[in-house]
Amino acid sequence: MTTEEQPAREEPTGGGDVAVNQSPAERHRPVMLRRCLDLLAPALAEPGATVVDCTLGLGGHSEALLATFPAARLIGLDRDREALRLAGERLVEHADRTTLVHAVYDELPEVLERLGVARVQGVLFDLGVSSMQLDEAERGFAYAQDAPLDMRMDQTRGPSAADVLNTYPPGELVRVLRAYGEEKQARRIVEAVVREREREPFSHSARLVELIRDALPQAAKRTGGNPAKRTFQALRIEVNGELDVLERAVPAAVDALAVGGRIAVLSYHSLEDRLVKRVLTAGARSTAPAGLPVVPEQYQPRLKLLTRGAELPTEDEIAENRRAAPARLRGAERIREAHTS
């Protein structure tokens, strides 16, 4: 196994229920694993195929890819150095076919260029928070445990969730909660945050959870699970630039696919899924002007959709792994090169 170290630029969010002293395999059950393998299989069966796991995490999907496709090479990306270390231990049996890179997934083009890889046959994204990040309270992702308000996937750089809460102007905080958490009570929550941060800066999650509970009207607290989950999601997305990164990463991944290559994307909330849907459906449409009797090659779709809409996990999988519940899976195949003038 080779590990390339480089500076990185980088759904449920409830409390973890997995002991952090368990092995990576015990801590992480890959979501919709069999379906992901089935979607990617036609592209990965041939010798020399390369698949990129853009969100390596604890390596569950990658381990299955390497075991299922013994002639394939895997490139795994993650912005979290601890995830890279643990996944490396998990994948040691396949070390000769594995390259792990400390990078955010929108850096895929630069990573492939450095590795001398022109095109790949498969790309997998498993978005959101990894099991490790949820289960380690000190990371601050889980609203069910009191912890420092960090939420950085790469703890070596960038502002934390506490920094966002304590320094953003009120209008910007409202925008973050509305845009990334779809929080209808954003203004009410932000007004309470601004009052409280003037008294004492925010540092831990329990205080924020209590503030949100107190700020929301009773009707808003009766629906949708924990009333803090939308705010925590919004802060996490803002801290890690997740949607901006994803907006760059999915088109870059499509561009990296060889003809016949396939992409599979697991999303965990509607903001992610809408973005993925937009990119994949746009690639599967003709761009020809209306009325042409014959569509020239340059206007032909370059993708074929492999899923009808977004596929959902089965009831059995959700029963076995509650973190699969919000998952949405989309896939596509590269069917022709993009036209270049």
Side-chain angles (χ1 to χ4, degrees):
M1 178 184 304
T2 59
T3 302
E4 179 188 283
E5 294 291 352
Q6 70 151 44
R9 293 188 317 235
E10 45 167 279
E11 132 90 3
T13 52
D17 59 357
V18 183
V20 297
N21 60 353
Q22 291 177 322
S23 72
E26 293 170 320
R27 293 170 62 182
H28 176 231
R29 283 175 286 183
V31 171
M32 297 183 75
L33 177 60
R34 174 45 55 189
R35 187 62 183 127
C36 289
L37 294 174
D38 289 345
L39 282 175
L40 295 172
L44 300 181
E46 295 300 317
T50 296
V51 59
V52 182
D53 186 342
C54 286
T55 49
L56 182 67
L58 291 179
H61 285 100
S62 284
E63 182 179 44
L65 286 165
L66 288 162
T68 306
F69 307 106
R73 172 190 175 191
L74 180 126
I75 301 171
L77 312 184
D78 208 290
R79 68 173 89 188
D80 190 319
R81 291 185 184 275
E82 181 63 7
L84 286 169
R85 184 186 69 80
L86 291 170
E89 294 177 358
R90 184 173 189 170
L91 303 177
V92 68
E93 180 181 341
H94 309 285
D96 59 329
R97 297 187 287 129
T98 305
T99 302
L100 306 185
V101 186
H102 182 226
V104 189
Y105 39 82
D106 66 334
E107 297 175 300
L108 177 61
E110 294 86 349
V111 170
L112 294 180
E113 182 179 4
R114 284 198 309 276
L115 295 176
V117 177
R119 290 295 177 91
V120 301
Q121 284 64 48
V123 178
L124 173 68
F125 289 89
D126 182 13
L127 302 170
V129 190
S130 76
S131 296
M132 179 193 72
Q133 291 161 343
L134 279 173
D135 293 330
E136 295 182 355
E138 67 271 14
R139 302 297 295 269
F141 288 98
Y143 45 72
Q145 305 175 75
D146 189 28
L149 279 166
D150 192 327
M151 299 194 194
R152 291 173 298 168
M153 293 180 180
D154 181 351
Q155 290 187 295
T156 66
R157 61 191 60 232
S160 67
D163 295 328
V164 171
L165 281 173
N166 293 326
T167 65
Y168 274 30
E172 186 66 4
L173 273 180
V174 170
R175 180 197 67 79
V176 168
L177 266 59
R178 284 179 175 165
Y180 299 153
E182 299 180 292
E183 174 56 76
K184 295 178 181 178
Q185 304 294 331
R187 189 167 297 280
R188 188 188 293 259
I189 291 170
V190 169
E191 287 173 355
V193 165
V194 171
R195 284 196 305 270
E196 281 297 301
R197 76 185 187 185
E198 290 176 355
R199 183 175 65 84
E200 181 183 352
F202 283 89
S203 62
H204 281 68
S205 57
R207 181 179 170 215
L208 177 61
V209 171
E210 182 179 3
L211 176 146
I212 293 168
R213 289 187 185 279
D214 291 344
L216 294 184
Q218 287 300 319
K221 288 188 280 192
R222 286 196 291 267
T223 60
N226 192 306
K229 72 177 184 179
R230 291 179 294 274
T231 295
F232 272 62
Q233 174 181 296
L235 289 172
R236 191 200 82 215
I237 291 173
E238 173 68 13
V239 165
N240 296 290
E242 290 177 42
L243 293 182
D244 291 340
V245 169
L246 187 62
E247 193 162 18
R248 295 187 293 269
V250 178
V254 169
D255 288 344
L257 287 175
V259 172
R262 292 183 166 210
I263 180 172
V265 186
L266 281 163
S267 304
Y268 293 85
H269 57 74
S270 60
L271 299 173
E272 292 173 341
D273 184 56
R274 285 199 295 265
L275 193 157
V276 173
K277 176 185 177 181
R278 185 168 70 244
V279 174
L280 297 187
T281 55
R285 286 197 299 262
S286 167
T287 58
L292 289 182
V294 178
V295 178
E297 176 70 19
Q298 65 263 34
Y299 298 127
Q300 296 280 2
R302 60 176 179 154
L303 294 179
K304 178 179 73 174
L305 299 181
L306 301 173
T307 51
R308 297 187 63 180
E311 294 188 2
L312 310 180
T314 65
E315 292 183 4
D316 287 345
E317 178 171 6
I318 294 171
E320 293 175 3
N321 180 11
R322 65 186 179 86
R323 289 178 181 170
R328 302 292 182 269
L329 175 63
R330 294 182 186 269
E333 179 182 353
R334 183 75 178 261
I335 56 175
R336 60 175 45 84
E337 293 287 355
H339 173 70
T340 54
S341 55

